[in-house]
Amino acid sequence: MTGRVIDASDVADGLVGDRRGPLRCRFCGAPLTRTFVDLGMSPLCERFLRAEQLDEMEPFYPLHVRICDACLLVQLPSYVPPEEIFGEYAYFSSYSDTWVEHARAYAGAMQARFGLGASSLVVEVASNDGYLLQHFVRAGIPVLGIEPARNVAAVGKDRGIPTVTEFFGEPLADRLVAEGRRADLLVGNNVFAHVPDLNDFTAGLARILADEGVLTLEFPHLVRLIEEGQFDTIYHEHFSYYTLLTARRVLAGHGLRVFDVEELTTHGGSLRLYVCHDDARRHVDTARVADLLDREEAAGYADVNGYTAFDDRVRAVKRDLVAFLIAARRDGRSVVGYGAPGKGNTLLNYCGIRTDLLDYTVDRNPYKHGRFTPGTHIPIHPPERIAETRPDHVLILPWNLRTEIVAQLAPIRAWGGTFVVPIPRVEIVP
């Protein structure tokens, strides 16, 4: 197996956001001087408030995203340590039917493609509430979850998922390998963007992956974010934003090779990378990797100048959404929200939407009921509230789940209610 090339010590004071010196790229260490987009100040997107906290000081942090001129990694400085964000977490994957079905289909496909069985080990980093590993358990395949959020990990343990409640990195990977645990399938769904110490995390992935094992990584595709104005997927727990070009570069720096890629519809357009060790013989590169790399390069994403149009798209979305909400208020129409996702809180705070424009929002997650959205202080109710108040419009904040939500709330058509989707442009769904 090839050794890794990049070490955390290669990047002086490794974490972007270290105020002892200039901002530096969390992967290559080059100075960060170029803005990708500046969304102003915002609170942590999963810090939902109780009523007694509404009069307390609420910390806001910059959402000022940079791009590295050297390696083109788009990144948000780590203004807040991960322990503060993820120690207790309000996101439970199992509350999305669409996401649970996505996980079920993935588990079946991986078993079939890579011949996983009772002698295999599936490890998921950021295993959340066991939404994915439960499908492998039912198939009789040994699993291990790694989830730092204590409240979320407890739900996974109750489902019978063995779970390590720690942040993943090279030290934890070394301990697990010393115990004889290396992953035949290593899963990282929507976690590659969530780590400030990128080199330590990626080195840990390389360490725990078996010699002929497969690592799959899913993350929102930066190309979709840019071209469809998905600025609300930027928040403080998302430290890095990837094209295939940049993700491949980071993984190669640690002796890992992308041998296949799938383009997914999840989260507004994601990539699923299939990764192995450089010298793994079992896995042959597919044409899909070269094809997507060629398309990204042809669209301008191999050069820093290809990233300059995003700011204008962001401002257009803000203007159109606020104009719609103001017009609805002037006409006496009521508007409520559906969902209280992290992306929704970026949208609400950047657009300045509070209860003067949005009466309340609802969410299926009981953890959020009776609480208020960070920064904008919009009350969160159970979904049944919508039928009780019969609003004219429902603003879908997790717009990536629009199909699922429209189906759940089909009864609003009985009183003439409509849905509003804010991204990539304001759309009224009758």
Side-chain angles (χ1 to χ4, degrees), residues 92-97 99-100 128-131 134 159 364:
F92 293 77
S93 296
S94 293
Y95 285 111
S96 168
D97 296 338
W99 191 242
V100 173
N128 201 264
D129 58 7
Y131 75 102
Q134 63 181 340
R159 285 188 166 134
R364 294 177 68 186

Side-chain angles (χ1 to χ4, degrees), residues 31 53 80 88 120 141 240 338 379 385:
Q53 296 176 301
V80 187
E88 181 172 347
S120 306
I141 300 172
S240 303
Y338 186 99
R385 179 77 170 174

Side-chain angles (χ1 to χ4, degrees), residues 7 36 71-72 84 114 138 144 169 192 230 241 246 255 273 309 320 344 372 382 391 395 418:
D7 188 272
F36 172 68
C71 71
L72 301 181
E84 188 171 341
F114 299 114
R138 289 170 188 160
L144 176 67
F192 203 42
Q230 299 170 1
Y241 303 82
T246 54
L273 307 189
D320 291 347
F372 296 80
L395 176 64
T418 64

Side-chain angles (χ1 to χ4, degrees), residues 11-18 24 26 78 196-198:
V11 180
D13 294 325
L15 299 182
V16 173
D18 189 331
R24 292 188 175 274
R26 63 170 42 90
S78 53
D197 196 342
L198 182 57

Side-chain angles (χ1 to χ4, degrees), residues 334-350:
S334 57
V335 187
V336 305
Y338 186 99
K343 60 163 49 78
N345 290 321
T346 293
L347 180 83
L348 296 172
N349 278 282
Y350 176 66

Side-chain angles (χ1 to χ4, degrees), residues 48-113:
F48 295 93
L49 304 176
R50 299 183 300 274
E52 63 270 20
Q53 296 176 301
L54 293 178
D55 290 334
E56 297 177 2
M57 189 279 292
E58 189 174 4
F60 279 56
Y61 305 92
L63 273 180
H64 187 173
V65 185
R66 271 82 167 189
I67 181 169
C68 177
D69 286 286
C71 71
L72 301 181
L73 180 64
V74 172
Q75 54 201 283
L76 182 69
S78 53
Y79 296 107
V80 187
E83 294 81 6
E84 188 171 341
I85 298 175
F86 298 109
E88 181 172 347
Y89 202 43
Y91 179 75
F92 293 77
S93 296
S94 293
Y95 285 111
S96 168
D97 296 338
T98 300
W99 191 242
V100 173
E101 172 56 25
H102 175 77
R104 186 202 62 77
Y106 166 87
M110 296 306 102
Q111 291 172 59
R113 180 170 180 178

